[in-house]
Structures are given as C-alpha cells and as structure tokens.
Amino acid sequence: MKNWFTNNRGELPPFVHNRRLRRIMMFISLIVIYGIVISFLYNIVASLILIVISVVGLIFTIVMMNEISSDTNRYITDLSYRIHRGEQESLLEMPIGVMILNDDEQVEWANPYMVKYFKDENLLGRKIDDIDHDLQQLITKYAESDEFHTITWRDHKFTMLIQKEYNSVYLMDITRYANLEERYNEEQISVGQIFLDNYDEITQSMTDQEISNLSNYVTNELATWSQKYGMYLKQIDDDHFFLLAYSKSLTAIENDKFNILDTVRETTSKQNFPLTLSIGIAYGEDDLNNLADQAQSNLDLALGRGGDQVVVKSLDGTARFYGGKTNPMEKRTRVRARMISQALNELMSASDQVFVQGHTRPDMDSLGACLGIRRIAQMNNKKCWIVLDKEKVHSDIQRLLEATKKYPEIADSIITPSEAIAKATDSSMLIMVDHSKPSISISEDLYKRMSAKVVIIDHHRRGEEFPENPMLVYIEPYASSTCELITEMFEYQPHEEEPINRIEATAMLTGIFIDTQRFSMRTGTRTFDAASYLRSAGADSDEMQQFMKENIDSYLQRNHLISKVEFFHKNMALIVGEEDQAYDPVTAAQACDSLLTMSGVDASFIITKRSDGQIGVSARSTGAVNVQVIMEQMGGGGHLSSGATQVSDKSVADVKKMLLETIKNIDDNE
C-alpha cells in the first residue's frame, strides 16, 4: 500500500503536488470520516462495513488521481517539447530572415533563410560592415526606429524591422508583392488633351497646301512622340488631340520635360509659322469620366496661363507645370473682345448691382480697371461699387483718390469691404480685376459672399488657385495690363450713355504706362490702340506725371535698396532688405524694376520685410528668365517677366535661402 502513496523514489504521490486535486481529496476524506462517525452512533456492523467500503474507495480515488496527475504532467511535458521544437523549427524554416548581433555589431546567429542571401559567406563572428556594407548602412539608418521599413537590398525588396533592445534584425522578402504593386501603379490610366494654341490665327493667311503640310507635320510629330512612349493618340479636330497613357509613360515624358513643346515650336518657327502646344493631363482616378473632366480643366489652366505649356494634375493633387518659357503669343481678337463685352453687359443686366475689386495693395492698373468697370456698369444703367481699403494704399493711389473728389459720383461709389458686404445681395455680381486668386482680393469675405456670381478680368497667367465656378473669365496673358483689356470693351457699350471721363481715362492710361514700364515691355499693337483711345478720351499726361511722382521718403528708400544690390548666378541681381526695416511693396518693386536697366542684368529680385510682418519677394526679367515659374515655386505667381510672392513666418535671411535654392532646383531640372 505504501506504493500507492509514494513512488519508487519515496516521493509523495503526484496528485499531492496538484493543489486542486489535493483539495478534492481532503474534502472526500472529511465526508468519509464524518459518515463513519455518524454510523457508529447507530449501528456498529454497518459502521464496519462502511469503513471497508470507504478504505477501498479512497484507495481507488487515490489511484485515479495519481493517473490523472501523471497524464496531465506527461501532456504538459509533451506540449512544452512540441512548442519548443516548433519555435526552433520556425526560426530555422520560416520565410523571414533573422539575424542576431552582439554589441559590437558582430553576427552571433542567423537563420538559414537569412544565410541564403549571403551565399557561401561565413557570417558568425564577423561584423556586418565587413560582410555587406549596404546592409550595414540600412541597419544604421533605421536602428533607432521600431517601425517596419521597406528597403531594397541585393536586388530584392524587403520589409525590415530592427529590435535594438535584442540586437535583432528581421527581413521579410516582399519582392513579388512589390513588383505587383509597381506594375499596378505603372499601369494606371492617364488622360490628356492636346490643343494647338494659335492654329486658327496662323492658318488664316496660309494656302490650302501650306495648311495641309503644317497639319501633317504636327500630326506626324505627335504620333511619333506618342509611339515612342507607348501612348495612344487620337485626333479629334484640326487643332485638338486626345491622349491615353499609362502612368509609366507619363513619368517618362515628365522626366523628358515634354520636349515635344520645344520641338514643335522651334521647327514651325523656322518655317515662319510659329505654332505652340498646350497640354492638360490628369491621372490618379479610376473613373474615366472624372479623369476626362480633370484633363480638360488642366488644359484650360494651361491656356489661361498663356499656352505653350503642360499642366499635369490629379483630382486632389498639386499641379505640375512644364514649358511656359516663352512669352505668350497674341491670340485674342476683336471678335473675342466684343463677345466678352456683350456677355458682360448681359450679366450686368441680370444683376441688381455690381461690385468690383482689385488685389490687396492696389496699383494704378488695379484701381484704373475698377474705374473702367464702374463706367461700363454706368453705361448699362447699373450701380457699381468700387471696393477699396483706403488705409492700405500707396502714395500714387492716394493722389488718385484725392483727384476723384472732384467727381462726387466716383468718390461716393468707393466703399470699404465691410460696407460692400452689407450692401451685397444674392442678385449682385462681383468682378475681380487684375487678379484671379481670391486669397489676394481686397476682401476675400466679399468673394465668399458672392462666389456664385463672379466675373474675372485679368492679364496675369492663371494660377492653381482659382474661383470654382465663375460666370465669365477673360484672362489674356498677352495683354499689357487689365486696363488695356477693359479699354477695348468701351467700343461695344451703348453710345447713348455718357462716355469715359478725363479722370477715368487718365487713371487707366497710367495703369498701362506703369505696367509696361513706359511702353518698353509687354506691349503690342493693341496696347498702343488702347493708349490712343484713352488719350483721345481726355487722358491728361500732366496729371499722369502727378500720379506717378514719388515722395521723398520713397525716393530715398528706393535708392537705399538699390545700393544693397548683389549679383549672382547667370546675370541675376538681388536686393535683400534689413531684418528690422519694413519697406513699402511698391517702393521695393520699383527698386527691382530699376535693376533691369543695368547692363548685363537679365533678372532681378528683391526681398524685403512688409509692414504686415510678411516677407515680400518681387521678381522682374527681361524675358530671358521665366520669373513666374520661380515665384510659383515659392507660392506666388505673375508673368514670365514679372512676378511676386509673400512668405509668412520666415525671416528675410530664410527667404533669401529659399529663393536661391528654388532657382538652383529649377536650373538643375532644365
């Protein structure tokens, strides 16, 4: 019986070591003892029989409990063995590379899956840098990160995880899935629209044979270009093509900077038929209808910026611009000016009143255009309010406002932004002149109040920021000024109404005069036609000179800034103002203009602190450098030969560094 309670080594039975079984045995024993005691009180014979049965039962119970405990121990031991063996086999056989290093970055252990990437090299005890320098650099790069990273090593793609506390490196080969993802991305569909900017204008004076030759050349050139990059091209009209391409092809032609623009322009120019292309391409969307709409919108943006360029943009992404290195060619006609004028008259007739506003810190072109629109509205028997913040105007605008006091009708129509918002109704119309970005309007709140009825008249290249659904858009980058565009509209207004008066004509001619830098830049035949009309309408040259006069402080500030000029990178001049000195933006722009009169200067830039705390940058060019692209990279815009931007939360020195890096990056990518 002793063997029931002990094993061969004299130890207690297994069940005694199990707390739950031990408690069950104690409970059964107490019940048996209690039953025997009770039975002795009533019947001794029955008690003896119960004792025998109880002893046999206890012996059986003890044996069963021993077996249960032994079976449980064997199961646990077997399970532990299998788990331990599974762990070892997993480390050895699982498709994940594992490497354990010591503190000296020597390999202590690597599983077979990891070893196979090193072929026959001996790893143990050697430093990683001695075995594979590239892997060492990757481990060093991500050693402080506890996240997964996708890396490329030995022509494979891996997901890497480093556990620094255990000195362990894990690599999972994802080459197959990475290739599938890459192929999926490369085969995303891109939709493009190609437009021949000035096809109609050029072909008007050509013979049928010359037109045919020109069309054949352009079609063949585009077909060769599309076949080279594996794209589908379909001609829709004489001057319109449809393009389908994979993302892989789009990447290739972007890397090539869309050299098709230069090829077509240069070849046709040599034949005295300078033809340019505008292209809009959309990508990153599964719905082909949305892609087609976005491609058309991108083409409109390219045309609005003057043509001869490409706009690549996804539905929600940032636009990328290519080309646009040349001055836009004159494409507007008298017919288009008449159509725009008539459309504007109809929109005014459908409105109860008209509001017109220029950009912040208005110049003579901006305010002159506002006066011109006010006169056109009056010719159409509509009340027009000029929105202006009189607290933020330059000295020339102040002199013009003083001059308008002699014309009560004009002076009374100039109101503040808060007054305009109070007067505006759902039937009112807002005209944005000399700008197309709501964020730089004199009152962005007024734009938001009237965003459903907006008209844009501007001569700057259209930027990415643009009103969503304007009723009418008249953007002509070729025009010298907005005043020039509006002057052409007077010819198509009701002649029975009072014509433009002297102060309005003078202000508008001053706007043209300043924007063309005294008719020396961005002028065409239409510019001189507009100037001639305004002169005949009573524009006073003496009063123009009064408007343009500088006060002594501005004159001294301008000369001080010019004295700080420095030259850099390919005939470029730069002025950098002091960190603690605020300059008037107009004075800074005039100093920038003055630099272009220096010999050997193709582009000039000025960086100054403004009174509102922002850092202003103005850029000017003779046309040899596209300063608009530079300013756009810094968040601004403008023309090929004139641009500007404002930067917040940076110092003058920071903006200088930012400008120089932007110029360098653009130059490196060309």
Side-chain angles (χ1 to χ4, degrees):
M1 182 177 293
K2 180 180 179 181
N3 293 335
W4 296 342
F5 294 94
T6 62
N7 56 23
N8 295 333
R9 292 174 293 180
E11 296 176 350
L12 291 174
F15 82 88
V16 175
H17 298 285
N18 189 313
R19 185 173 57 182
R20 285 176 292 183
L21 293 178
R22 188 168 65 244
R23 288 177 178 176
I24 293 172
M25 189 62 197
M26 291 175 62
F27 177 75
I28 294 173
S29 300
L30 290 173
I31 294 296
V32 169
I33 294 170
Y34 179 76
I36 291 173
V37 172
I38 295 298
S39 65
F40 266 109
L41 296 176
Y42 294 97
N43 191 315
I44 296 176
V45 176
S47 299
L48 293 173
I49 295 171
L50 181 59
I51 290 172
V52 173
I53 294 172
S54 298
V55 170
V56 173
L58 285 173
I59 294 171
F60 179 77
T61 302
I62 291 171
V63 171
M64 290 298 102
M65 284 187 175
N66 280 336
E67 290 181 0
I68 291 172
S69 182
S70 298
D71 291 343
T72 301
N73 289 337
R74 283 194 300 270
Y75 174 76
I76 292 173
T77 302
D78 182 61
L79 181 61
S80 298
Y81 169 75
R82 283 185 289 164
I83 291 174
H84 183 65
R85 182 179 177 183
E87 290 175 347
Q88 291 179 331
E89 290 180 350
S90 296
L91 285 173
L92 295 174
E93 303 297 336
M94 68 180 178
I96 298 177
V98 182
M99 180 183 293
I100 299 177
L101 311 175
N102 61 20
D103 293 337
D104 295 327
E105 295 188 344
Q106 293 177 333
V107 179
E108 288 191 337
W109 180 82
N111 70 341
Y113 191 85
M114 188 70 161
V115 172
K116 73 178 185 179
Y117 291 102
F118 295 93
K119 298 181 180 179
D120 298 329
E121 293 186 65
N122 182 25
L123 303 181
L124 300 182
R126 298 176 61 189
K127 286 191 174 184
I128 287 291
D129 198 28
D130 296 334
I131 301 169
D132 192 298
H133 180 68
D134 292 339
L135 181 59
Q136 167 64 31
Q137 287 186 319
L138 291 169
I139 292 174
T140 302
K141 181 178 180 180
Y142 300 115
E144 302 299 327
S145 174
D146 57 356
E147 298 180 353
F148 289 93
H149 299 277
T150 300
I151 66 168
T152 301
W153 175 61
R154 296 207 171 187
D155 299 326
H156 288 263
K157 293 278 188 180
F158 294 91
T159 295
M160 171 185 275
L161 174 65
I162 299 176
Q163 292 181 322
K164 189 175 182 181
E165 61 271 28
Y166 304 118
N167 286 339
S168 56
V169 180
Y170 303 90
L171 292 175
M172 177 179 287
D173 195 332
I174 58 169
T175 304
R176 178 186 175 190
Y177 307 105
N179 289 339
L180 288 174
E181 182 181 9
E182 183 179 358
R183 181 176 176 182
Y184 169 77
N185 291 332
E186 287 179 348
E187 292 182 355
Q188 290 286 296
I189 293 295
S190 302
V191 174
Q193 303 269 8
I194 303 176
F195 185 74
L196 308 185
D197 297 333
N198 48 342
Y199 180 83
D200 289 339
E201 290 80 2
I202 286 179
T203 55
Q204 283 179 353
S205 60
M206 298 173 66
T207 64
D208 291 344
Q209 183 177 356
E210 290 173 332
I211 294 174
S212 177
N213 291 338
L214 180 63
S215 298
N216 288 338
Y217 164 74
V218 173
T219 303
N220 291 335
E221 200 67 50
L222 288 173
T224 302
W225 174 69
S226 63
Q227 289 173 4
K228 176 182 177 182
Y229 293 101
M231 301 181 292
Y232 171 77
L233 182 74
K234 177 67 176 178
Q235 186 169 6
I236 299 174
D237 205 344
D238 289 340
D239 56 0
H240 198 182
F241 295 80
F242 177 76
L243 187 70
L244 275 179
Y246 288 131
S247 293
K248 180 180 180 180
S249 301
L250 177 58
T251 301
I253 56 179
E254 284 195 84
N255 291 337
D256 200 31
K257 306 299 181 187
F258 288 88
N259 67 339
I260 186 66
L261 298 179
D262 299 329
T263 301
V264 171
R265 183 193 331 105
E266 292 170 4
T267 304
T268 55
S269 295
K270 292 176 182 177
Q271 300 172 3
N272 295 323
F273 299 123
L275 194 67
T276 59
L277 304 178
S278 288
I279 304 176
I281 298 179
Y283 67 97
E285 174 66 34
D286 293 333
D287 192 317
L288 292 178
N289 290 316
N290 291 339
L291 273 181
D293 292 342
Q294 183 63 42
Q296 183 61 54
S297 176
N298 293 349
L299 176 61
D300 293 341
L301 176 55
L303 293 171
R305 290 163 55 84
D308 189 25
Q309 58 192 283
V310 182
V311 176
V312 180
K313 183 180 181 296
S314 62
L315 265 67
D316 301 319
T318 302
R320 300 190 294 275
F321 302 100
Y322 299 90
K325 301 176 183 177
T326 59
N327 274 313
M329 302 183 67
E330 184 170 9
K331 294 184 284 293
R332 82 183 195 277
T333 62
R334 296 287 184 185
V335 174
R336 175 164 166 75
R338 177 175 55 80
M339 292 174 60
I340 291 293
S341 182
Q342 290 176 351
L344 182 62
N345 294 351
E346 292 173 3
L347 292 173
M348 285 183 173
S349 299
S351 304
D352 60 354
Q353 56 186 335
V354 178
F355 293 85
V356 58
Q357 67 176 355
H359 51 75
T360 54
R361 300 281 179 178
D363 53 17
M364 291 298 293
D365 185 40
S366 178
L367 188 53
C370 289
L371 292 173
I373 290 295
R374 193 206 73 84
R375 173 58 61 183
I376 290 176
Q378 185 175 339
M379 289 179 169
N380 287 272
N381 298 313
K382 290 295 175 182
K383 180 62 179 178
C384 179
W385 304 99
I386 298 174
V387 184
L388 184 66
D389 186 352
K390 297 180 181 179
E391 301 299 321
K392 298 179 179 180
V393 295
H394 194 252
S395 57
D396 55 347
I397 301 299
Q398 290 176 342
R399 285 190 285 269
L400 174 57
L401 293 177
E402 284 294 323
T404 60
K405 291 180 179 179
K406 299 178 182 178
Y407 302 83
E409 204 174 50
I410 296 176
D412 293 342
S413 67
I414 301 175
I415 59 176
T416 65
S418 57
E419 291 175 330
I421 293 173
K423 291 177 180 291
T425 69
D426 292 340
S427 298
S428 303
M429 181 175 70
L430 173 65
I431 301 179
M432 296 167 56
V433 296
D434 203 33
H435 73 294
S436 60
K437 292 183 177 182
S439 62
I440 64 171
S441 288
I442 283 181
S443 174
E444 189 174 2
D445 291 335
L446 180 62
Y447 162 77
K448 293 176 180 177
R449 170 68 178 85
M450 305 177 65
S451 59
K453 299 190 70 175
V454 173
V455 171
I456 298 169
I457 303 175
D458 189 19
H459 72 116
H460 298 98
R461 294 188 178 193
R462 173 180 164 180
E464 193 173 351
E465 180 190 345
F466 198 75
E468 288 188 11
N469 295 300
M471 296 189 299
L472 181 65
V473 176
Y474 190 29
I475 297 180
E476 289 292 349
Y478 179 79
S480 68
S481 57
T482 309
C483 286
E484 177 187 331
L485 295 175
I486 294 174
T487 299
E488 292 184 338
M489 295 183 184
F490 284 112
E491 182 181 346
Y492 310 106
Q493 302 305 315
H495 294 291
E496 59 271 15
E497 300 297 330
E498 183 181 349
I500 182 173
N501 62 27
R502 184 182 63 82
I503 191 65
E504 292 165 340
T506 303
M508 295 181 73
L509 184 57
T510 306
I512 297 175
F513 192 75
I514 292 175
D515 266 27
T516 59
Q517 295 185 30
R518 302 175 183 271
F519 296 104
S520 64
M521 297 186 68
R522 297 192 302 275
T523 55
T525 57
R526 307 282 285 279
T527 308
F528 293 103
D529 288 345
S532 177
Y533 173 85
L534 294 172
R535 192 73 177 86
S536 65
D540 189 336
S541 58
D542 292 334
E543 196 164 22
M544 283 175 56
Q545 296 299 324
Q546 291 296 321
F547 291 155
M548 292 187 293
K549 278 186 177 180
E550 289 184 88
N551 59 42
I552 186 63
D553 291 336
S554 295
Y555 180 80
L556 292 175
Q557 273 195 341
R558 180 163 61 87
N559 286 336
H560 170 68
L561 286 170
I562 293 173
S563 69
K564 298 173 68 65
V565 65
E566 55 187 90
F567 298 90
F568 71 105
H569 188 66
K570 295 183 179 179
N571 298 332
M572 295 184 183
L574 173 63
I575 295 174
V576 181
E578 296 87 349
E579 293 281 359
D580 56 351
Q581 174 67 45
Y583 290 92
D584 184 88
V586 176
T587 301
Q590 290 172 345
C592 194
D593 286 330
S594 299
L595 295 183
L596 287 184
T597 63
M598 297 182 181
S599 175
V601 176
D602 292 331
S604 59
F605 303 87
I606 185 168
I607 304 172
T608 57
K609 185 176 181 180
R610 294 158 55 107
S611 58
D612 57 7
Q614 290 186 312
I615 306 302
V617 184
S618 289
R620 298 292 185 269
S621 167
T622 60
V625 178
N626 190 342
V627 295
Q628 179 209 4
V629 174
I630 299 172
M631 292 297 98
E632 282 181 337
Q633 293 284 332
M634 297 179 65
H639 288 288
L640 179 143
S641 56
S642 176
T645 188
Q646 293 83 46
V647 183
S648 303
D649 302 323
K650 287 186 180 296
S651 66
V652 172
D654 291 336
V655 175
K656 177 184 177 182
K657 182 179 179 182
M658 181 179 173
L659 173 65
L660 296 178
E661 288 178 351
T662 301
I663 294 173
K664 183 178 184 302
N665 291 337
I666 292 174
D667 191 55
D668 290 343
N669 291 329
E670 289 183 351

